Amino acid sequence: MEKAREVLVIGGNRYFGKRLISRLLAAGDRVTVLNRGSSAAPPGTTHLVADRDDEESLLAALGERTFDVVVDQVCYTPRQAAVARRVFTGRTGRYVMTSTVEVYEYEDSVTPVREDAVDPLTVPVDLELPWDDPEFLVSHYGEGKRQAEAVFAAGPGFPHVAVRVAHVLGGDDDFTGRLEHYASRIRTGEPIAVPFSNQPATYIHVEEIADFLAWTVGEDFTGPVNAASHGTLTTEELCAAVAAHLPEGKVVFRLVEVGEVSPFAFFRSYGMDNSRAARLGFAFHAAPEWLPAAVAETLGKDGD
């Protein structure tokens, strides 16, 4: 009988994080959840309370604990990565960071990008930027993740994975409000702002990314890996799926050259090549196949 794995999840109390935890528990893992204490940990887990930005608080909460794998759901900056690397070096056999497709924000390519398009070893790190400023952090989300990856990759002795997650859809607990943005406009016929040259993107279902992270916990590969369902989706396809639940609604697009556009409307392509993960053994689904169900889950069967 295999020994149960000791897995620490930092954050992860909502959306695909809570789905990941349920999968780990179902697999027989002993799961510890670390957060700031603003919400309770899921039943069946050990709960540790600490501010992950505060190195002393983190060390005090962890005590002498060690882990087979750490899954970091809430690492957004190189400062947070630097603290985590110091604290968990020698304390875990493997560190899985949830990263993002946004690390490719400067890679303007019409073909899906592979992991080597952004090599963390070549990314400059600036710990002095105002990473504690919420406004700065929101506007530099991709940069924060990119530099965090670079901190984990710098130097030997820290086996880690950076899971670059595509845009996530689905579930009745999608807190982002992005699909509802479209639903509210389609209900009233209000124009939906998209670029003149609107580009497609890769997506992944909330259950599939939970499956992917749970699978990653049990593997031994390292480095960046793209996590995206097969195929791309356009804003038009998303709106058509939403409109199918709103028969009285109307899809109206407003083309813009510059300025703010709707969620999931892009001036540049955000397509990711998922072939590395597929070669490693993960079987993705096709985004167009699960899209109608994802919209129904999020908006409700009648669009309400």
Side-chain angles (χ1 to χ4, degrees), residues 233-272:
L233 297 172
T234 64
T235 311
E236 290 79 6
E237 289 171 311
L238 290 171
C239 288
V242 172
H245 293 268
L246 303 168
E248 304 302 317
K250 184 179 180 182
V251 178
V252 178
F253 292 113
R254 176 171 60 86
L255 302 180
V256 299
E257 291 186 8
V258 294
E260 188 174 348
V261 294
S262 296
F264 304 137
F266 303 107
F267 288 94
R268 52 167 306 283
S269 175
Y270 272 98
M272 289 197 298

Coordinates of all heavy atoms in Angstrom, one line a residue, residues 233-272:
L233 N -11.3 29.8 -28.6 CA -12.6 30.3 -28.6 C -12.5 31.8 -28.9 O -11.6 32.5 -28.4 CB -13.4 30.1 -27.3 CG -13.6 28.7 -26.9 CD1 -14.2 28.6 -25.4 CD2 -14.6 28.0 -27.8
T234 N -13.5 32.3 -29.7 CA -13.5 33.8 -29.9 C -14.6 34.4 -29.1 O -15.5 33.7 -28.5 CB -13.9 34.0 -31.4 OG1 -15.2 33.5 -31.7 CG2 -12.9 33.3 -32.3
T235 N -14.6 35.7 -29.0 CA -15.7 36.4 -28.3 C -17.0 36.1 -28.9 O -18.0 36.0 -28.2 CB -15.4 37.9 -28.3 OG1 -14.1 38.2 -27.9 CG2 -16.3 38.7 -27.4
E236 N -17.0 36.0 -30.2 CA -18.3 35.7 -30.9 C -18.8 34.4 -30.5 O -20.1 34.2 -30.3 CB -18.1 35.8 -32.4 CG -17.8 37.2 -33.0 CD -16.4 37.7 -32.8 OE1 -15.5 36.9 -32.3 OE2 -16.1 38.8 -33.1
E237 N -18.0 33.4 -30.4 CA -18.4 32.0 -29.9 C -18.9 32.1 -28.5 O -19.9 31.4 -28.2 CB -17.3 31.0 -30.1 CG -17.0 30.7 -31.6 CD -15.7 29.9 -31.7 OE1 -14.7 30.2 -31.1 OE2 -15.8 28.8 -32.4
L238 N -18.2 32.8 -27.6 CA -18.7 32.9 -26.3 C -20.1 33.6 -26.2 O -21.0 33.1 -25.5 CB -17.7 33.7 -25.4 CG -16.3 33.1 -25.1 CD1 -15.4 34.1 -24.5 CD2 -16.5 31.9 -24.2
C239 N -20.2 34.7 -27.0 CA -21.5 35.4 -27.0 C -22.6 34.5 -27.5 O -23.8 34.6 -27.1 CB -21.4 36.7 -27.7 SG -20.4 37.9 -26.9
A240 N -22.3 33.7 -28.6 CA -23.3 32.8 -29.1 C -23.8 31.8 -28.1 O -25.0 31.5 -28.0 CB -22.8 32.1 -30.4
A241 N -22.8 31.3 -27.3 CA -23.2 30.3 -26.3 C -24.0 30.9 -25.2 O -25.0 30.3 -24.7 CB -21.9 29.7 -25.7
V242 N -23.7 32.2 -24.8 CA -24.5 32.9 -23.8 C -25.9 33.2 -24.4 O -26.9 33.0 -23.7 CB -23.8 34.2 -23.4 CG1 -24.7 35.0 -22.5 CG2 -22.5 33.9 -22.7
A243 N -26.0 33.7 -25.7 CA -27.2 34.0 -26.3 C -28.2 32.9 -26.4 O -29.4 33.0 -26.4 CB -27.0 34.7 -27.6
A244 N -27.6 31.6 -26.5 CA -28.5 30.5 -26.6 C -29.3 30.3 -25.3 O -30.4 29.6 -25.4 CB -27.6 29.2 -26.8
H245 N -28.9 30.9 -24.2 CA -29.7 30.8 -23.0 C -30.6 32.0 -22.8 O -31.3 32.1 -21.8 CB -28.7 30.7 -21.8 CG -28.0 29.4 -21.8 ND1 -28.4 28.2 -21.1 CD2 -26.9 29.0 -22.4 CE1 -27.6 27.2 -21.4 NE2 -26.6 27.7 -22.1
L246 N -30.5 33.0 -23.7 CA -31.3 34.2 -23.6 C -32.0 34.5 -24.9 O -31.6 35.4 -25.7 CB -30.3 35.4 -23.3 CG -29.4 35.2 -22.0 CD1 -28.4 36.3 -22.0 CD2 -30.3 35.3 -20.8
P247 N -33.0 33.7 -25.2 CA -33.7 33.8 -26.5 C -34.3 35.1 -26.8 O -34.5 35.5 -28.0 CB -34.8 32.7 -26.4 CG -35.0 32.5 -24.9 CD -33.6 32.7 -24.3
E248 N -34.6 35.9 -25.8 CA -35.1 37.3 -26.0 C -34.0 38.3 -26.2 O -34.3 39.5 -26.4 CB -36.0 37.7 -24.9 CG -37.2 36.7 -24.6 CD -38.1 36.6 -25.8 OE1 -38.4 37.6 -26.5 OE2 -38.4 35.4 -26.1
G249 N -32.8 37.9 -26.0 CA -31.7 38.8 -26.1 C -31.2 39.1 -27.5 O -31.6 38.5 -28.4
K250 N -30.2 40.0 -27.6 CA -29.6 40.3 -28.8 C -28.1 40.6 -28.7 O -27.7 41.3 -27.8 CB -30.3 41.6 -29.4 CG -29.9 42.0 -30.8 CD -30.6 43.2 -31.3 CE -30.2 43.6 -32.7 NZ -30.9 44.7 -33.2
V251 N -27.3 40.1 -29.6 CA -25.8 40.3 -29.5 C -25.5 41.5 -30.4 O -25.8 41.4 -31.7 CB -25.1 39.0 -30.0 CG1 -23.6 39.3 -30.0 CG2 -25.4 37.9 -29.0
V252 N -25.0 42.5 -29.9 CA -24.6 43.7 -30.6 C -23.1 44.0 -30.3 O -22.8 44.2 -29.1 CB -25.4 44.9 -30.3 CG1 -24.9 46.2 -31.1 CG2 -26.9 44.6 -30.6
F253 N -22.2 44.1 -31.3 CA -20.8 44.4 -31.0 C -20.5 45.8 -31.4 O -21.1 46.4 -32.4 CB -19.9 43.4 -31.9 CG -20.0 42.0 -31.4 CD1 -20.5 41.0 -32.2 CD2 -19.4 41.6 -30.2 CE1 -20.5 39.7 -31.8 CE2 -19.5 40.3 -29.8 CZ -20.0 39.3 -30.6
R254 N -19.7 46.4 -30.6 CA -19.2 47.8 -30.9 C -17.6 47.7 -31.1 O -16.9 47.3 -30.2 CB -19.5 48.7 -29.8 CG -18.9 50.1 -30.0 CD -19.5 51.1 -28.9 NE -19.1 50.7 -27.6 CZ -18.0 51.0 -26.9 NH1 -17.0 51.7 -27.6 NH2 -17.8 50.7 -25.7
L255 N -17.2 48.0 -32.3 CA -15.8 47.8 -32.6 C -15.0 49.0 -32.1 O -15.4 50.2 -32.4 CB -15.6 47.6 -34.1 CG -16.3 46.4 -34.7 CD1 -16.0 46.3 -36.2 CD2 -15.9 45.1 -34.0
V256 N -13.9 48.8 -31.4 CA -13.0 49.9 -30.9 C -11.6 49.7 -31.4 O -11.1 48.6 -31.5 CB -13.1 50.0 -29.4 CG1 -14.5 50.3 -28.9 CG2 -12.6 48.7 -28.7
E257 N -10.9 50.8 -31.6 CA -9.5 50.7 -32.0 C -8.6 50.7 -30.8 O -7.5 50.0 -30.8 CB -9.2 51.9 -32.9 CG -9.8 51.8 -34.3 CD -9.4 53.0 -35.2 OE1 -8.4 53.7 -34.8 OE2 -9.9 53.1 -36.3
V258 N -8.9 51.5 -29.8 CA -8.1 51.6 -28.6 C -9.0 51.7 -27.4 O -10.2 52.0 -27.6 CB -7.1 52.8 -28.6 CG1 -6.0 52.6 -29.7 CG2 -7.9 54.1 -28.8
G259 N -8.5 51.4 -26.2 CA -9.3 51.6 -25.0 C -9.8 50.3 -24.5 O -9.5 49.2 -24.9
E260 N -10.7 50.4 -23.5 CA -11.2 49.3 -22.8 C -12.2 48.5 -23.6 O -13.0 49.0 -24.4 CB -12.0 49.8 -21.5 CG -12.3 48.6 -20.6 CD -12.9 49.1 -19.3 OE1 -12.8 50.3 -19.0 OE2 -13.5 48.3 -18.5
V261 N -12.0 47.1 -23.5 CA -12.9 46.2 -24.3 C -13.5 45.2 -23.2 O -13.1 45.2 -22.1 CB -12.2 45.5 -25.4 CG1 -11.8 46.4 -26.5 CG2 -11.0 44.7 -24.8
S262 N -14.4 44.4 -23.7 CA -15.1 43.4 -22.8 C -14.1 42.4 -22.4 O -13.1 42.1 -23.0 CB -16.2 42.8 -23.5 OG -17.2 43.7 -23.8
P263 N -14.4 41.7 -21.3 CA -13.6 40.5 -20.9 C -13.6 39.5 -22.0 O -14.6 39.4 -22.8 CB -14.3 39.9 -19.7 CG -15.2 41.0 -19.2 CD -15.6 41.9 -20.4
F264 N -12.5 38.8 -22.2 CA -12.3 37.8 -23.2 C -12.4 38.4 -24.6 O -12.7 37.7 -25.6 CB -13.3 36.7 -23.1 CG -13.3 36.0 -21.7 CD1 -14.5 35.7 -21.1 CD2 -12.1 35.7 -21.1 CE1 -14.5 35.0 -19.8 CE2 -12.1 35.0 -19.9 CZ -13.3 34.7 -19.3
A265 N -12.1 39.7 -24.8 CA -11.9 40.3 -26.1 C -10.5 40.8 -26.1 O -10.1 41.5 -25.2 CB -12.9 41.4 -26.3
F266 N -9.7 40.4 -27.1 CA -8.3 40.6 -27.1 C -7.8 41.3 -28.3 O -8.1 40.9 -29.5 CB -7.6 39.3 -26.9 CG -8.0 38.5 -25.7 CD1 -8.8 37.4 -25.8 CD2 -7.6 39.0 -24.4 CE1 -9.2 36.7 -24.7 CE2 -8.0 38.3 -23.3 CZ -8.9 37.2 -23.4
F267 N -6.9 42.3 -28.1 CA -6.2 42.9 -29.2 C -5.1 42.0 -29.8 O -4.6 42.2 -30.9 CB -5.5 44.2 -28.8 CG -6.5 45.3 -28.5 CD1 -7.0 45.6 -27.2 CD2 -7.0 46.2 -29.5 CE1 -7.9 46.6 -27.0 CE2 -7.9 47.2 -29.3 CZ -8.4 47.4 -28.0
R268 N -4.7 41.0 -29.0 CA -3.6 40.1 -29.5 C -4.0 38.7 -29.1 O -4.9 38.5 -28.3 CB -2.3 40.4 -28.8 CG -2.4 40.5 -27.3 CD -1.0 40.5 -26.6 NE -0.2 39.4 -27.1 CZ -0.4 38.2 -26.6 NH1 -1.3 37.9 -25.7 NH2 0.4 37.2 -27.0
S269 N -3.4 37.7 -29.8 CA -3.8 36.3 -29.6 C -3.3 35.8 -28.2 O -2.2 36.1 -27.8 CB -3.2 35.4 -30.7 OG -3.5 34.1 -30.4
Y270 N -4.1 35.0 -27.5 CA -3.7 34.4 -26.3 C -3.9 32.9 -26.4 O -4.6 32.2 -25.6 CB -4.6 34.9 -25.1 CG -4.0 36.1 -24.5 CD1 -4.4 37.4 -24.8 CD2 -3.0 36.0 -23.5 CE1 -3.9 38.5 -24.2 CE2 -2.4 37.1 -22.9 CZ -2.9 38.4 -23.3 OH -2.3 39.5 -22.7
G271 N -3.4 32.3 -27.5 CA -3.4 30.9 -27.7 C -2.2 30.2 -27.1 O -1.1 30.6 -27.4
M272 N -2.4 29.1 -26.4 CA -1.3 28.4 -25.8 C -1.2 27.0 -26.5 O -2.2 26.3 -26.7 CB -1.4 28.2 -24.3 CG -1.2 29.5 -23.5 SD -0.9 29.2 -21.8 CE -2.4 28.4 -21.2

